Amino acid sequence: ETGVTQSPTHLIKTRGQQVTLRCSSQSGHNTVSWYQQALGQGPQFIFQYYREEENGRGNFPPRFSGLQFPNYSSELNVNALELDDSALYLCASSLEAGANIQYFGAGTRLSVL
Amino acid sequence: QKEVEQDPGPLSVPEGAIVSLNCTYSNSAFQYFMWYRQYSRKGPELLMYTYSSGNKEDGRFTAQVDKSSKYISLFIRDSQPSDSATYLCAMSAGDSWGKLQFGAGTQVVVTP
């Protein structure tokens, strides 16, 4: 076990709705990264948070946003859901920003109907 | 063209055989190379981590990096049915934020 937990495990939403996914990082890790993994694909980097600030962003629109809290927990928010947002969303925690060794949670599977 | 290419498989091998996996990449800035294992409905689990070119061995696993050819490999010796999973290669340029670039993953099936 990596010590990274995500909730919920599975979520079903309809197009246009908003969703919040949650992640609890490994204790002592001040950096969290979020990835989107479509079926049959590798994870795609969404963004990273370091000490509660966005530290880098992949090629995702602004309707993907995040928050990181002092207690090692974080959120991924997606507004105006689209069908293509259906995927496994993974969070990964690491000791420091820029750290390549990242520990992944089991993910939240989001289905958009 | 994707930055990281990986054959999706499936790759089917008999128990005890050597599993050979590889990835090619196009970005010469990549310096850190990782292999993750992902079981169905689970998150990726880090198996191997290497920096720059060379070989690294850990138990039944050997990772190789050839930066001149932009090619990395993972070998699994004495494969077991429990090794059946999707194997993802990942790479990073090692800049100020640890963005990992993943391949699409290779599905491996080890048959008893």
Side-chain angles (χ1 to χ4, degrees):
Chain A
E1 296 298 324
T2 63
V4 180
T5 57
Q6 292 187 245
S7 63
T9 304
H10 191 190
L11 204 52
I12 300 174
K13 291 287 188 178
T14 56
R15 192 171 50 181
Q17 284 189 312
Q18 178 266 343
V19 69
T20 297
L21 310 181
R22 294 179 172 83
C23 172
S24 179
S25 298
Q26 196 174 115
S27 179
H29 285 190
N30 60 19
T31 303
V32 64
S33 302
W34 286 90
Y35 293 81
Q36 180 195 66
Q37 186 176 22
L39 197 61
Q41 300 297 317
Q44 297 290 316
F45 177 80
I46 302 174
F47 46 54
Q48 182 183 88
Y49 276 78
Y50 170 64
R51 293 184 177 178
E52 302 169 49
E53 298 281 338
E54 186 178 295
N55 187 48
R57 189 176 188 92
N59 189 25
F60 281 82
R63 60 189 184 86
F64 286 78
S65 62
L67 284 172
Q68 186 186 26
F69 304 101
N71 65 349
Y72 308 120
S73 68
S74 59
E75 292 180 354
L76 165 65
N77 299 288
V78 187
N79 294 323
L81 283 167
E82 300 176 0
L83 298 179
D84 285 349
D85 295 333
S86 296
L88 180 68
Y89 288 85
L90 297 160
C91 77
S93 75
S94 50
L95 268 174
E96 288 290 338
N100 298 293
I101 295 181
Q102 301 180 13
Y103 299 91
F104 285 82
T108 293
R109 183 160 299 283
L110 174 64
S111 300
V112 182
L113 306 178
Chain B
Q1 184 186 4
K2 294 181 180 179
E3 272 193 300
V4 181
E5 298 280 357
Q6 184 176 9
D7 188 331
L11 177 63
S12 183
V13 300
E15 183 176 355
I18 295 175
V19 176
S20 176
L21 303 165
N22 57 75
C23 288
T24 58
Y25 62 95
S26 57
N27 187 349
S28 58
F30 288 144
Q31 299 183 63
Y32 300 88
F33 304 90
M34 289 136 277
W35 286 95
Y36 283 84
R37 176 175 64 196
Q38 186 174 26
Y39 291 113
S40 180
R41 304 183 189 280
K42 298 288 188 181
E45 171 194 8
L46 181 65
L47 285 177
M48 299 290 284
Y49 172 80
T50 54
Y51 169 68
S52 195
S53 287
N55 296 352
K56 183 175 182 178
E57 188 173 317
D58 184 1
R60 297 186 296 116
F61 300 92
T62 299
Q64 292 183 348
V65 175
D66 182 348
K67 289 190 68 179
S68 63
S69 300
K70 296 189 179 67
Y71 186 92
I72 69 170
S73 301
L74 177 71
F75 300 97
I76 308 173
R77 292 182 297 281
D78 188 24
S79 58
Q80 304 295 311
S82 58
D83 293 325
S84 298
T86 295
Y87 291 79
L88 297 155
C89 63
M91 309 177 187
S92 170
D95 46 24
S96 61
W97 42 286
K99 170 187 174 182
L100 299 184
Q101 192 74 38
F102 282 86
T106 299
Q107 184 186 0
V108 172
V109 179
V110 181
T111 54

